[in-house]
Amino acid sequence: MISNSPKKRTSNFQRTVKWIGILFGGLLFLKVFIGEWVYISSDSMLPTLRTGNLVWNSNLTYGALMPQRMKETPILNLLCLVPTIAQKDKQRNWGNHRMWGYSSPQRMDVIIFKWANDDSPLYIKRIIGMPKDTVLIANGKVYINHEPIEEKGKRITSYDNYGPFIIDDNCYFVMGDFRLNSLDSRHKGVVPFHCIAGKATYKLWNFKENSSLCTAIE
């Protein structure tokens, strides 16, 4: 005998809502504290990354960066669709707080970040200079503390000159691998640690590339 009593239908509905809530909460925890896949929309990191790549942004590596205002907070950011709330949120600052991470940024790491006081989308570049380093670029060749550096991977070099420049404490000098086509620290300055969202660790297969399904980023 099949029972379609209101009590049983209510029980099934509550169970469904419960599991949807658990799934949604799990996805939210993953996005905020562990990481997420992000879409690459420029070729500034060629040949390492290209437009269309999906890259894993690991929040866990350096420690998850806590939202500084409502716009950066999942779910709450929907309220910023209201113009008056969005305007007030621009003046809000909850401070720079980061969870525990198992590593700190290292030279040659590929990072995902935002420029300080910039509401534009996230950027992806490679760390070239560490805090307190002196950076000099002469005819496209990069020198750190007056010594030429050995760079991992391939680069599309430029022939520009820059510096010498001393990096502030707790800040990083970043550049794109496609040096001729990259808006980076040569133009916009260094990246403070509190602006780094995470480390780019893996990229998914792209139909434009002949590579495996998931490749570590070097």
Side-chain angles (χ1 to χ4, degrees):
M1 181 177 179
I2 300 175
S3 173
N4 290 315
S5 65
K7 185 176 181 180
K8 186 171 183 179
R9 288 198 298 269
T10 300
S11 177
N12 290 337
F13 176 76
Q14 290 175 340
R15 190 180 297 112
T16 300
V17 170
K18 175 184 175 181
W19 282 109
I20 291 175
I22 291 173
L23 177 62
F24 185 78
L27 292 174
L28 188 62
F29 178 86
L30 179 70
K31 173 182 173 60
V32 173
F33 296 102
I34 308 299
E36 62 181 326
W37 292 101
V38 296
Y39 177 81
I40 302 303
S41 59
S42 81
D43 285 331
S44 68
M45 283 295 292
L46 276 172
T48 307
L49 301 169
R50 65 178 67 245
T51 298
N53 277 137
L54 281 176
V55 171
W56 180 251
N57 176 27
S58 172
N59 297 337
L60 193 60
T61 304
Y62 307 140
L65 184 64
M66 296 295 97
Q68 297 178 355
R69 53 197 178 99
M70 192 179 295
K71 184 180 179 181
E72 300 172 2
T73 309
I75 303 177
L76 286 179
N77 56 9
L78 296 176
L79 295 175
C80 291
L81 294 174
V82 180
T84 53
I85 295 178
Q87 188 63 34
K88 290 181 179 179
D89 190 54
K90 290 181 179 180
Q91 304 170 9
R92 185 177 287 111
N93 190 337
W94 295 334
N96 303 313
H97 305 287
R98 187 181 293 273
M99 301 295 288
W100 175 86
Y102 63 83
S103 180
S104 59
Q106 304 295 316
R107 197 185 316 277
M108 297 302 158
D109 281 359
V110 177
I111 62 170
I112 295 171
F113 65 96
K114 64 179 182 179
W115 296 107
N117 303 317
D118 193 336
D119 283 335
S120 60
L122 293 171
Y123 290 80
I124 182 166
K125 308 291 178 187
R126 188 181 298 276
I127 293 178
I128 300 298
M130 302 291 286
K132 300 298 184 181
D133 277 350
T134 298
V135 179
L136 173 67
I137 303 174
N139 199 28
K141 181 67 177 178
V142 180
Y143 296 82
I144 298 294
N145 302 325
H146 313 293
E147 296 289 339
I149 63 169
E150 294 185 10
E151 300 191 60
K152 295 192 301 184
K154 298 178 180 178
R155 302 286 181 275
I156 300 176
T157 60
S158 64
Y159 300 95
D160 57 339
N161 298 289
Y162 177 91
F165 174 80
I166 300 176
I167 303 172
D168 294 337
D169 191 27
N170 215 32
C171 293
Y172 300 86
F173 190 95
V174 300
M175 296 174 69
D177 288 352
F178 191 174
R179 301 284 162 78
L180 287 170
N181 185 38
S182 175
L183 182 67
D184 50 42
S185 289
R186 293 171 295 175
H187 316 94
K188 300 201 68 171
V190 294
V191 179
F193 182 49
H194 69 259
C195 290
I196 298 177
K199 180 181 179 181
T201 53
Y202 294 96
K203 64 176 179 178
L204 287 182
W205 175 83
N206 186 296
F207 71 92
K208 298 179 182 178
E209 301 174 321
N210 183 19
S211 61
S212 57
L213 178 62
C214 189
T215 308
I217 296 173
E218 297 183 350

